[in-house]
Amino acid sequence: MPHDSSKPNPPRWFATTRWTIVLAAGDRHSQYSRQALETLCGTYWAPVYSFVRRRGHSVEEAQDLTQGFFARLLEKESLAAADRQRGKFRNFLLSSVKNYLANEWDRSQAQKRGGGTIAVPIDAESAERIYRPDQVPQDNPEKIFERRWAAALVGQVFSRMRQDARRAGQMKAFEHLKGFLTGEAVGVRYQDVAAELGLSEAAIKVRVHRLRRRFGDLLRQEVAQTVQSPDQVEAEIRYLFSAVE
Amino acid sequence: MVRPKTPGRQRSDPERPLCPQCGTPLTEGEDCLHCLLALGMGLPDSTPLDGLQTDRYTILHPLGQGGMGEVFLAHDNALDRKVALKFLSEELQQNPCAEQHLLDEAKAAAALDHPFVCKVYETGDLEGSAFIAMEFVEGKTLRQVLNSRSFPLERTLSIADAIADALQSAHRHGIVHRDLKPSNVMLTPDGHIKVMDFGIARRLEAVQNAVGPVVPDWTHETSVQGSLLYMSPQQARGEPVDARSDIFSFGVLLYEMIAGVNPFHRDTPEQTWQALLAADYPPLTSPSGRLPKGLDGLVGRMLAPDPKDRLQSADQVRSTLTEVGSQMAARQSGWRKWVRSPMRLCAMLLVMVALVVLGLYLGGWSAEPPQTGIGRSDNPQAQAAFVEGHRLLYLRTPASLAEAARKFRQSILKDPEFAAAYAGLAVSQILLASYGIRAPEEVFPEALRVAEKALELDERQAMAQTALAFIRFSFDWEWELAEEEFLKAVELANNDPDTLRWYGFYLATQGRMDESLQLMHRAQNLDPRSWLAIVSLARCHYLRREYEKAVGVYQKALALQPEFRPAHLGLGLVYLKQKKLQLAAQSFRKGLAGSKAHELLAEAFQQAASGDSPSDIEADLQALRAESGQIYLSPYFVAVYYLALDQGQSDRAFEWLEKAFQERSEHLVTLRVDPIFDDLRSDRRFQDLVERIF
C-alpha cells in the first residue's frame, strides 16, 4: 500500500490540451501558455463578438469591445485573477466577457486597453456575416454565444478536414462526400457519387463511413482542447447538442 | 456535388428551413449543427456500411466504438455464423508499421482457444480498411453491470476464478493481455464470462511507442482514464510488461468488484498515475461489511507495486481464490443450506436480477421538473415528501416512479388536504402504466380517484386537471370528454410542457397530426433540453410516417438519456417500419427489459431479425406474464412481434391485441393512426376492434 514513490514526472500527455496548458500554468503565466490561450481565443472570437452585438452594441462598438476584451484577457494579471474553477474554456470565456462588459463597457476604456494592440484579429465583414442577427431574433445573448461557439467548433473541424484532404490530393472527393456529413445529401444515391468519382459503390460507403468517424474524432479532439479533463468531452458535446436547437 | 432527389425542405416556420435529416430548424447558409455535433457522439447508429458485403462477410450493424477502432456485427457467409469485425482506427491505419504490428499480434492471439477467451478468427481488409474478425459475444460488459456498485461476494469469486482461468491459459501461450479491465470482460446471458481483446488492445500503445511518439487520445474518455485505472505500475512508467502486469490489473478489477469503487480513482489522470506508481489505495472493504478471511491479503499481493513482490502467476491467484471460497463456504454452511433449496435460490436470483435491471435505470441526465403543480403545504413533512416525490417523478425511471408514488402517499398522510400531493400521485400512477411498469387496470382506477380528489380540494390544480384529461382519454376511452378536460388543463397551464405534450398526443390519436406537431414543437421550445419533449416529438413524427425524422429525433433523445426505455421501444417501431430488422431488434432489446417475459420477447425479436426460424414463444410468454410481481409487458408489443415475423402471424397478433383491449393497454389509443398496423386495416377483426375503442 503506501509505498515510497520516487515521484517521477507524469507522462507529458496529462497536460497537452490548450486549456489544460493554460490552467496548469497558473500564476506562472508563460509564453507557452499565452500562445495556447491566444490560439483558443483566435478560434472562438466569433461567439464573443456575437454576444457583444446581441447585447445591443453597434458594429463598431462590438469590434472595439471584442478587441479590448481579448487584449485584457491576454494580459498576465487578468488571466491569473480569472475564475478557473468552472473547468471549461467556454464557461470561462462567457463569464469573462460578461464581467468585462459590466466593468469595461465604455468604449474609450476599451480603446485604451485594446487600442493599438491587436490581440486577436477580427475581420469586421465576416464578424457581421457570422453574427446574422436576422436569423434567430428570439435568441438571447447567451444562446447566440452557444450557437456561435458550436459553429466555430464545427468550422475548425471542417478546416482540419479540408487541410487533410488537400494534403492527400483528395479535395474533389471531399467536396462530393461532405454533404453526407451535414444532411445536405439526404436522398443522394451512393452509386451516383461513385460514378462521378470513378469508384465502386462499396468504396464510397466505406469512405463516407470513415469521413463521419473522422469528423466525430476531430470534433472530440477540438472539444478536448477546451475542457479540463477527458471525461468532460462527451458532456460538453451533449451540452452544445441540446443548446443549438 | 450530386444534388438530392428528395423534394425541397419542409418548413414549419417560414423564416427557417428544417434540416432534411433531423428536422432541426436551420440558420440559412449554415450546416446543420445538430447533425454535425451528433457525429461527435457517435450518432447516427446506422452507417452506410450496414448490409455491405465482402468476399466472406455481410456487415450488419455497429456494435460499439473503442480507442482501437470500431466494432461491427457481421454474418460470416462461409460458416453461417455471427462474428464481430473490429476495424482499426483511422489514425492507426495511417501508420502502416503500427498497423502491421497489431495485425501480427492478432494473428498470434488467434492461437488461443479457451472457453473464457473471445476467439480471434482472422484479419482482413475492406476497401483499404483493415479489420480483425473475432467471435461475437452477446451480453454486457462487466463495466456496464458493475457501474457504481459492488458484486455479491459469491458471484465475485466465481467471475474472478473464470478470469484467472483465462489468464492462466493465455500466459501459458506467452500472450499477455496488457489491458485487462471491466470493459474487456463480457458477461454472457448464460452467466459465463469472456475476456476480450487478448494481446491486442494495449499492444496498440506499445507499437505506437515503438514506431513513434505516444499520441494522447483524449477523444475517447476510456482511452486515458479508463485504461489508466487498471494499468500496472510498469505500464504506467512505460516499461516492458509480462504476465505479472496482468495480475496487477486483475487485482484492481477484483478490488472494484468487491468494494464497488476503483482503488486508484482520483480527480485527475495525473493523480491516478501517481497513486498507481505508489500503489496507494484505501484499505479494501465490502459495502456489506462481509469480507472473507484471506481476500484482503490476496488483493494486496496482486497489487504489490514491485512485480517481484506480487503473486507471480494466474495459477497462484486461482489457488488462493479457491482457498478463500472454501473458507467462506465453511463459515456460512448454515446460510448455504438455506440457499441450497432450489426454490429459494431461484427466488434469490430473481430478486438479484430485478435489482440489477432496476438499478441500471438509475442516474443519468434528467429534465428539470416544471414548476406546474408545485403546491405548498403548511406541514413541513408533507411539503418535504412532496418536493422529493416531484423530483423523483421527473427522473422517469421505474424505480424513481414507484418511489415518487410512495413519497406522494407519505405527503398525503401528513397533510390529507394537500391537493398537489394527490395530483402528483395521480401522475406517478399514470406514468407507471404508460412506461409499461404496472398494468393499466392496476393503477388507473386509483389515479382517477386521486386526481378527482385533488380537483375537489383545489379546482385550479393544473397537474391534476392534466392527469384527469389523460385518464379520460387513455384509460376510459372517453374521447370527447377527454378533450374538454384537456382544454381546461391548457387554460390552467398554457405554458406547461407536460400538459401540451399530453394534449398533443391525444390530438395525434385523433388523426389531428398538424395540431399535434404544433403542440409538440411548442412543448419542446418551452423546455428544449427535456428528453421527454424530444421523445414526444419523435413519436409524433412516427405517427405522421416521417420515419427518417423520427429516427433522428429519437436518437437525439437517447443521446441525452441513453437508458430511456420508451425511446428505445419507439425507435424499434420506426426501424420495423423501415424494414431495418436488426436495428429494430437491437432497440427492442434495450427497450424490453425488466422481466423474464420482456427478455423472452426481446430474444424472439432478435431471432426473427437474424433470419433464424423463430421458436414458438407463446406458451412461455403467457406463463411468464402470468407470474405475479413481474413488471408489466404490454400485449401490444407481443402483437407487434407477431406482425414483424417474416410470414406475419396476424391471428396471433389479433389474439394479443384482444388481450391489450381486455387489459386496456394505453398503446391501443393510437390504433387508428399507428403505422405498425397498416397491413391489418382492411381486416374485419381490426375494424371491429377500432369500433369497440373509438
Side-chain angles (χ1 to χ4, degrees):
Chain A
M1 303 220 207
H3 170 73
D4 182 27
S5 157
S6 54
K7 300 270 179 201
N9 291 326
R12 61 185 174 80
W13 42 267
F14 284 130
T16 48
T17 78
R18 293 189 193 110
W19 185 229
T20 54
I21 288 169
V22 174
L23 292 181
D27 293 341
R28 305 178 309 281
H29 192 51
S30 66
Q31 185 58 27
Y32 189 39
S33 61
R34 186 191 157 92
Q35 272 174 8
L37 186 59
E38 269 179 17
T39 310
L40 284 173
C41 293
T43 306
Y44 295 103
W45 65 264
V48 172
Y49 176 84
S50 299
F51 178 85
V52 175
R53 281 283 280 128
R54 182 48 60 101
R55 289 279 287 254
H57 294 282
S58 69
V59 175
E60 292 73 24
E61 280 175 346
Q63 283 170 17
D64 285 347
L65 282 165
T66 307
Q67 291 281 14
F69 165 68
F70 281 117
R72 171 78 186 272
L73 188 73
L74 290 164
E75 280 176 10
K76 192 172 169 178
E77 302 77 20
S78 163
L79 186 65
D83 168 20
R84 294 174 212 144
Q85 300 311 309
R86 289 163 180 261
K88 295 173 187 164
F89 179 58
R90 178 173 52 75
N91 290 336
F92 166 74
L93 205 58
L94 182 59
S95 65
S96 299
V97 72
K98 280 180 179 175
N99 285 338
Y100 179 79
L101 290 183
N103 301 318
E104 305 280 337
W105 61 272
D106 183 80
R107 190 177 167 186
S108 60
Q109 276 291 322
Q111 277 189 324
K112 191 176 152 195
R113 290 212 172 266
T117 314
I118 304 297
V120 174
I122 293 172
D123 168 9
E125 202 178 309
S126 63
E128 270 305 291
R129 200 173 53 243
I130 290 169
Y131 170 47
R132 305 183 64 84
D134 52 319
Q135 285 297 311
V136 273
Q138 75 280 15
D139 283 357
N140 60 29
E142 283 80 6
K143 182 89 178 159
I144 289 260
F145 178 87
E146 287 172 346
R147 222 185 151 71
R148 292 296 108 224
W149 186 279
L153 179 67
V154 159
Q156 190 71 5
V157 174
F158 272 129
S159 160
R160 282 181 67 182
M161 290 181 89
R162 273 205 191 83
Q163 275 176 20
D164 290 349
R166 195 168 294 121
R167 212 173 291 131
Q170 295 287 327
M171 273 310 282
K172 185 183 172 195
F174 177 75
E175 291 302 336
H176 271 83
L177 300 179
K178 179 179 164 278
F180 288 101
L181 294 175
T182 59
E184 198 187 335
V186 167
V188 173
R189 296 186 309 169
Y190 290 112
Q191 65 195 70
D192 294 342
V193 182
E196 288 229 2
L197 292 175
L199 294 166
S200 69
E201 190 179 339
I204 293 297
K205 286 182 172 180
V206 170
R207 282 181 178 218
V208 169
H209 176 73
R210 286 171 64 169
L211 203 64
R212 284 182 181 170
R213 291 295 175 226
R214 180 75 180 146
F215 186 94
D217 284 347
L218 290 177
L219 186 75
R220 285 188 290 273
Q221 282 177 22
E222 283 301 322
V223 170
Q225 297 296 333
T226 69
V227 296
Q228 200 174 1
S229 69
D231 57 3
Q232 291 177 340
V233 172
E234 194 181 337
E236 174 71 350
I237 298 178
R238 283 186 185 205
Y239 179 84
L240 293 171
F241 181 79
S242 42
V244 296
E245 281 289 330
Chain B
M1 178 71 219
V2 180
R3 302 310 309 167
K5 292 186 187 306
T6 47
R9 290 173 173 174
Q10 296 183 39
R11 287 163 179 263
S12 64
D13 164 0
E15 296 303 317
R16 294 177 71 185
L18 299 179
C19 169
Q21 191 160 273
C22 72
T24 301
L26 292 172
T27 301
E28 204 179 315
E30 187 174 270
D31 293 321
C32 177
L33 294 173
H34 235 274
C35 287
L36 291 167
L37 290 170
L39 292 171
M41 296 190 288
L43 296 173
D45 56 12
S46 59
T47 87
L49 300 190
D50 297 352
L52 196 66
Q53 296 210 347
T54 72
D55 293 346
R56 177 162 179 171
Y57 303 107
T58 303
I59 295 176
L60 299 174
H61 58 80
L63 288 170
Q65 168 96 29
M68 197 181 94
E70 196 177 8
V71 189
F72 283 83
L73 177 65
H75 186 257
D76 179 345
N77 302 323
L79 294 175
D80 193 20
R81 64 180 175 184
K82 286 180 196 166
V83 294
L85 300 185
K86 184 164 273 193
F87 283 85
L88 307 189
S89 69
E90 191 81 15
E91 260 138 9
L92 194 61
Q93 296 197 31
Q94 283 168 4
N95 185 337
C97 188
E99 181 185 341
Q100 194 51 51
H101 270 78
L102 190 62
L103 293 176
D104 289 347
E105 192 71 20
K107 283 174 194 160
L112 267 180
D113 189 5
H114 187 276
F116 300 150
V117 174
C118 173
K119 176 92 182 133
V120 171
Y121 296 136
E122 63 165 357
T123 59
D125 177 275
L126 172 66
E127 299 289 345
S129 293
F131 64 79
I132 300 167
M134 51 182 67
E135 180 184 358
F136 168 60
V137 181
E138 279 189 276
K140 286 181 185 293
T141 67
L142 189 54
R143 170 80 288 138
Q144 289 168 309
V145 181
L146 196 58
N147 261 343
S148 303
R149 62 180 64 82
S150 64
F151 259 37
L153 280 169
E154 294 73 17
R155 181 74 176 127
T156 297
L157 293 183
S158 87
I159 290 174
D161 184 63
I163 294 172
D165 194 352
L167 285 177
Q168 200 176 19
S169 167
H171 292 167
R172 277 185 197 145
H173 282 82
I175 296 171
V176 180
H177 192 291
R178 296 186 177 90
D179 198 18
L180 185 63
K181 57 185 177 184
S183 57
N184 275 334
V185 177
M186 291 289 289
L187 298 178
T188 67
D190 55 7
H192 290 129
I193 68 120
K194 289 266 184 191
V195 182
M196 318 291 289
D197 288 352
F198 249 104
I200 301 172
R202 184 54 52 188
R203 185 69 183 164
L204 168 64
E205 191 177 281
V207 293
Q208 281 180 336
N209 270 324
V211 299
V214 173
V215 179
D217 182 358
W218 269 45
T219 58
H220 300 284
E221 188 266 329
T222 50
S223 331
V224 177
Q225 184 79 339
S227 288
L228 185 62
L229 288 169
Y230 303 89
M231 257 185 206
S232 68
Q234 305 97 288
Q235 281 179 303
R237 285 193 203 94
E239 295 167 5
V241 299
D242 57 21
R244 293 172 300 180
S245 177
D246 281 351
I247 301 289
F248 186 93
S249 305
F250 185 15
V252 181
L253 196 151
L254 185 54
Y255 183 111
E256 190 174 345
M257 279 201 288
I258 298 165
V261 290
N262 184 292
F264 300 113
H265 189 271
R266 301 291 187 276
D267 289 341
T268 66
E270 187 177 355
Q271 288 168 358
T272 291
W273 188 78
Q274 297 284 7
L276 270 174
L277 292 190
D280 178 12
Y281 58 89
L284 178 64
T285 53
S286 157
S288 68
R290 214 159 52 99
L291 198 61
K293 195 177 166 196
L295 198 51
D296 186 24
L298 168 66
V299 173
R301 279 181 289 158
M302 294 169 85
L303 292 180
D306 187 334
K308 291 199 290 294
D309 301 331
R310 213 172 288 160
L311 283 180
Q312 298 292 298
S313 68
D315 301 30
Q316 288 180 343
V317 176
R318 275 198 89 184
S319 54
T320 315
L321 276 170
T322 310
E323 275 171 37
V324 171
S326 323
Q327 287 173 18
M328 189 170 79
R331 271 196 300 279
Q332 295 168 347
S333 55
W335 181 81
R336 283 176 66 236
K337 275 180 198 156
W338 184 87
V339 169
R340 219 175 273 141
S341 150
M343 286 299 288
R344 284 167 179 163
L345 181 61
C346 204
M348 196 179 73
L349 287 175
L350 274 175
V351 169
M352 279 162 56
V353 167
L355 285 174
V356 168
V357 168
L358 284 174
L360 287 174
Y361 294 113
L362 288 169
W365 192 88
S366 65
E368 283 296 316
Q371 296 307 300
T372 307
I374 285 284
R376 178 147 291 279
S377 166
D378 293 335
N379 181 315
Q381 288 170 308
Q383 181 66 21
F386 172 80
V387 169
E388 180 58 9
H390 198 250
R391 185 188 71 79
L392 289 164
L393 196 60
Y394 281 85
L395 293 178
R396 296 297 206 262
T397 69
S400 77
L401 290 174
E403 186 58 15
R406 208 172 67 80
K407 288 286 174 192
F408 290 129
R409 279 186 216 284
Q410 272 178 10
S411 181
I412 292 168
L413 277 176
K414 297 288 174 194
D415 180 359
E417 304 293 306
F418 191 10
Y422 288 97
L425 180 56
V427 172
S428 52
Q429 298 284 50
I430 288 171
L431 292 174
L432 281 166
S434 295
Y435 291 179
I437 300 158
R438 301 277 301 279
E441 49 200 349
E442 280 179 44
V443 292
F444 271 102
E446 187 189 11
L448 176 62
R449 193 169 53 74
V450 291
E452 285 178 336
K453 174 74 182 171
L455 288 167
E456 189 186 307
L457 290 165
D458 176 2
E459 61 179 10
R460 299 193 62 77
Q461 221 303 328
M463 186 157 65
Q465 182 61 48
T466 303
L468 182 64
F470 194 85
I471 296 164
R472 292 288 181 229
F473 131 69
S474 179
F475 188 69
D476 293 345
W477 298 341
E478 294 278 1
W479 310 102
E480 286 173 17
L481 181 59
E483 181 151 25
E484 283 173 26
E485 302 288 9
F486 269 125
L487 290 173
K488 281 187 209 164
V490 172
E491 199 184 318
L492 288 173
N494 187 31
N495 283 325
D496 176 46
D498 282 353
T499 303
L500 298 180
R501 287 190 305 110
W502 286 12
Y503 182 33
F505 180 48
Y506 164 84
L507 291 171
T509 65
Q510 305 304 299
R512 291 155 67 180
M513 295 297 180
D514 290 344
E515 291 171 76
S516 170
L517 187 65
Q518 206 179 2
L519 281 187
M520 295 304 186
H521 275 303
R522 222 180 112 208
Q524 205 196 349
N525 286 338
L526 284 166
D527 196 1
R529 288 174 194 173
S530 160
W531 79 86
L532 297 170
I534 302 174
V535 169
S536 297
L537 180 62
R539 180 161 59 170
C540 193
H541 282 308
Y542 162 72
L543 294 176
R544 290 167 65 92
R545 288 150 177 80
E546 296 165 345
Y547 302 130
E548 286 294 333
K549 278 187 190 168
V551 168
V553 181
Y554 270 126
Q555 285 175 341
K556 196 189 296 185
L558 286 168
L560 295 171
Q561 187 66 353
E563 301 288 341
F564 194 48
R565 280 195 318 168
H568 286 294
L569 293 172
L571 186 57
L573 293 173
V574 185
Y575 282 142
L576 272 187
K577 286 305 292 182
Q578 292 183 314
K579 308 279 183 217
K580 294 177 177 172
L581 299 187
Q582 280 293 347
L583 288 174
Q586 214 180 337
S587 295
F588 285 131
R589 182 168 287 288
K590 291 174 187 163
L592 290 168
S595 78
K596 293 273 176 202
H598 285 79
E599 286 166 19
L600 177 66
L601 188 61
E603 181 57 38
F605 267 115
Q606 184 62 59
Q607 222 179 2
S610 308
D612 302 339
S613 330
S615 340
D616 191 345
I617 58 167
E618 189 65 23
D620 287 345
L621 199 57
Q622 298 222 22
L624 285 171
R625 276 191 91 239
E627 278 181 20
S628 63
Q630 291 286 305
I631 288 179
Y632 178 70
L633 170 64
S634 170
Y636 167 88
F637 285 104
V638 187
V640 168
Y641 162 71
Y642 281 121
L643 291 173
L645 290 179
D646 225 6
Q647 301 301 321
Q649 296 185 18
S650 58
D651 289 349
R652 283 262 168 90
F654 275 115
E655 284 168 23
W656 283 92
L657 282 176
E658 189 58 36
K659 272 194 220 305
F661 177 79
Q662 297 301 335
E663 294 171 15
R664 298 191 86 82
S665 166
E666 184 207 321
H667 292 93
L668 289 189
V669 298
T670 58
L671 201 65
R672 288 196 299 192
V673 290
D674 191 338
I676 212 76
F677 299 123
D678 282 353
D679 293 342
L680 297 184
R681 294 197 188 280
S682 56
D683 193 304
R684 182 87 201 121
R685 290 169 294 181
F686 187 82
Q687 290 160 4
D688 171 57
L689 187 61
V690 169
E691 276 169 25
R692 279 187 283 154
I693 296 170
F694 291 92

